[in-house]
Amino acid sequence: MIEYRTLSKDELCVELFKDFIRHQVVTKCRRRENNEWVIKDAPFIDDWTKEDYKVLVSCLKNTLASGGFVYAAFFNDALKGFVSVESGLFGGEQKYLDLTSIHVSEDMRGQGIGAALFLAAKKWAKENGAEKLYISSHSAVETQAFYKKMGCVEAQSYHSGHVEAEPCDCQLECPV
């Protein structure tokens, strides 16, 4: 049985991710070219190193320290998924809150964990004054299919910091 709960700053450490498998084989990506979305061959393997996990832990601690939301899924006491949303509305009348991460361990994908995490993020965002979640999303076709299933569409207003940091990401939004 999957257990879902909010994470605290004190439990965030690299060791928390010891049973988490961030591995994704990407073959095709969705890219914007000449104002149109196209599917392109862009093969690579996305795999996190120990250093990536250290950066992640630091980012998630910062999310909590600034009043944001970090929520997780556990199976047999092992972390198998997580989502984070930053505090602080942006985007003018869009009233966005930034969904900065959502990941499910490779061994647990396809079981509804991502959807449950996403819905929890939407609920928290709504309770904190947002009208929409903003997502700067990995452009992998499978990732885009997940967000489309969750009701996401292209963002009406782009966050320039996200576009500059990850120019190949798809900028999305979802009503809360």
Side-chain angles (χ1 to χ4, degrees):
M1 178 156 192
I2 308 296
E3 175 200 351
Y4 295 92
R5 64 179 173 82
T6 302
L7 290 178
S8 71
K9 189 176 97 174
D10 294 337
E11 65 189 318
L12 283 169
C13 63
V14 173
E15 182 65 18
L16 179 66
F17 295 88
K18 68 180 174 30
D19 298 312
F20 189 87
I21 306 166
R22 176 60 182 120
H23 180 262
Q24 183 176 1
V25 177
V26 176
T27 57
K28 296 186 179 296
C29 289
R30 188 171 179 245
R31 300 285 164 81
R32 191 165 181 89
E33 292 184 358
N34 301 319
N35 286 329
E36 289 189 34
W37 288 103
V38 296
I39 306 297
K40 303 210 44 132
D41 289 330
F44 67 96
I45 295 175
D46 196 1
D47 223 343
W48 288 350
T49 65
K50 187 164 184 154
E51 190 59 35
D52 292 327
Y53 283 105
K54 287 179 184 176
V55 170
L56 172 66
V57 166
S58 177
C59 290
L60 294 176
K61 283 184 175 187
N62 186 57
T63 297
L64 290 175
S66 62
F69 178 66
V70 179
Y71 191 72
F74 291 85
F75 180 71
N76 292 333
D77 295 322
L79 179 74
K80 292 299 178 178
F82 63 95
V83 65
S84 62
V85 181
E86 304 304 314
S87 64
L89 294 170
F90 69 95
E93 53 186 62
Q94 301 306 321
K95 290 189 175 178
Y96 291 127
L97 279 180
D98 199 359
L99 185 145
T100 46
S101 64
I102 183 167
H103 297 281
V104 175
S105 185
E106 183 179 45
D107 59 327
M108 298 295 286
R109 292 181 191 146
Q111 298 184 43
I113 293 171
L117 294 170
F118 192 83
L119 293 173
K122 283 177 60 170
K123 180 178 186 279
W124 186 88
K126 185 173 189 166
E127 290 169 355
N128 285 272
E131 289 188 14
K132 299 175 182 179
L133 278 176
Y134 185 94
I135 304 107
S136 181
S137 168
H138 193 294
S139 62
V141 169
E142 300 83 2
T143 303
Q144 292 302 301
F146 167 77
Y147 284 119
K148 183 176 182 180
K149 180 177 147 188
M150 298 310 299
C152 297
V153 296
E154 184 175 359
Q156 290 180 11
S157 175
Y158 279 21
H159 184 289
S160 60
H162 285 309
V163 174
E164 289 170 18
E166 294 288 348
C168 292
D169 275 8
C170 298
Q171 306 304 310
L172 306 173
E173 66 180 37
C174 185
V176 297

